[in-house]
Amino acid sequence: MPENSASSANPASSASGKTPVDFWFDPLCPWAWMTSRWVLEVEKVRDIKVRWHLMSLAVLNEDKLDDLPEEYREMLATHAWGPVRVVIAAQQEHGAEVLGDLYTALGTRIHNQGEGPTKEAVAGALKEVGLPGSLLDHWDATPYEAELRASHNEGIDKVGQEVGTPVIAVPGADGEQVAFFGPVVTPTPKGEAAARLWDGTLLVASTPGFYEIKRTRTQDPIFD
């Protein structure tokens, strides 16, 4: 079975010699999608390499359903499980290296093209990246649920239960990873604007005892 996580590697190095940036995503979340496009912009202007991991809003919220708005509960029940089951199956059966391209294909269809987290959108994404359509057999149930939960917990345990997706972890000065939720941003910064946000995010995230900067969102995600 292929290696299912880049976390087994040295957190301070990657095969490319660049600084590894571990990114946990759920393809359902539009804000995680925005952040993922930003970190790919950062890859162009900073010496980093993104390593993709799966997390799950369904798993994150399964013990909180009674406290959630009815509309969000319905969304989780109808849309949250199928895509992550298919993605974890793709990772387990074809290797972690497929996650980046698959996430890009999924996010483009789900968010940019407005197809939503449908079975048809996932089928199209699988075909686009050359993965077998038989992975859709995992939509309603998968034997890889333990692996899905392990991947989710690996990311969320770094930041705590009060956050969502995405989670980003980078090597710290002491060799331990520094992890944080977000940033939540729209539209996606490009070029040096992406780099400045990256540098500032690392600065505050690596400060001992720093926890939160936040303001009310006044825009929906702007996809481009």
Side-chain angles (χ1 to χ4, degrees):
M1 183 174 293
E3 184 71 40
N4 65 4
S5 174
S7 62
S8 59
N10 184 335
S13 64
S14 69
S16 65
K18 297 183 177 183
T19 300
V21 173
D22 292 301
F23 190 109
W24 280 263
F25 68 93
D26 183 324
L28 184 66
C29 179
W31 293 104
W33 173 244
M34 299 298 298
T35 307
S36 74
R37 300 310 93 182
W38 162 68
V39 82
L40 288 178
E41 285 292 313
V42 177
E43 259 195 344
K44 301 174 184 178
V45 290
R46 291 292 184 266
D47 200 25
I48 68 167
K49 178 63 178 176
V50 182
R51 305 189 296 196
W52 303 99
H53 309 266
L54 191 62
M55 64 183 296
S56 168
L57 290 172
V59 173
L60 181 68
N61 289 287
E62 63 184 350
D63 295 329
K64 310 171 187 175
L65 293 178
D66 290 342
D67 300 324
L68 298 176
E70 182 178 353
E71 183 178 358
Y72 193 68
R73 289 200 307 270
E74 178 67 17
M75 184 276 295
L76 291 175
T78 57
H79 298 303
W81 283 106
V84 293
R85 286 173 178 148
V86 173
V87 174
I88 197 65
Q91 175 187 319
Q92 290 295 304
E93 296 181 5
H94 298 276
E97 63 273 10
V98 306
L99 289 184
D101 288 344
L102 180 55
Y103 183 28
T104 291
L106 284 169
T108 300
R109 289 174 177 273
I110 291 171
H111 303 297
N112 293 59
Q113 297 176 5
E115 296 180 30
T118 63
K119 202 169 187 178
E120 292 74 18
V122 176
L126 292 172
K127 182 177 181 180
E128 182 178 333
V129 299
L131 289 170
S134 58
L135 287 167
L136 284 173
D137 294 343
H138 295 266
W139 184 270
D140 294 314
T142 180
Y144 303 122
E145 182 169 332
E147 288 81 1
L148 169 61
R149 291 177 180 273
S151 180
H152 170 86
N153 289 334
E154 183 184 16
I156 208 68
D157 285 350
K158 295 178 184 296
V159 290
Q161 296 293 322
E162 294 80 24
V163 301
T165 178
V167 170
I168 296 176
V170 297
D174 59 0
E176 297 294 325
Q177 282 190 312
V178 173
F180 51 90
F181 159 72
V184 176
V185 61
T186 190
T188 300
K190 304 290 198 306
E192 281 305 310
R196 287 194 299 272
L197 178 57
W198 177 253
D199 295 341
T201 300
L202 292 189
L203 178 63
V204 297
S206 60
T207 300
F210 179 85
Y211 294 108
E212 187 171 3
I213 289 178
K214 192 170 184 178
R215 58 186 172 191
T216 300
R217 299 176 196 173
T218 58
Q219 285 185 309
D220 291 330
I222 300 171
F223 305 123
D224 55 22

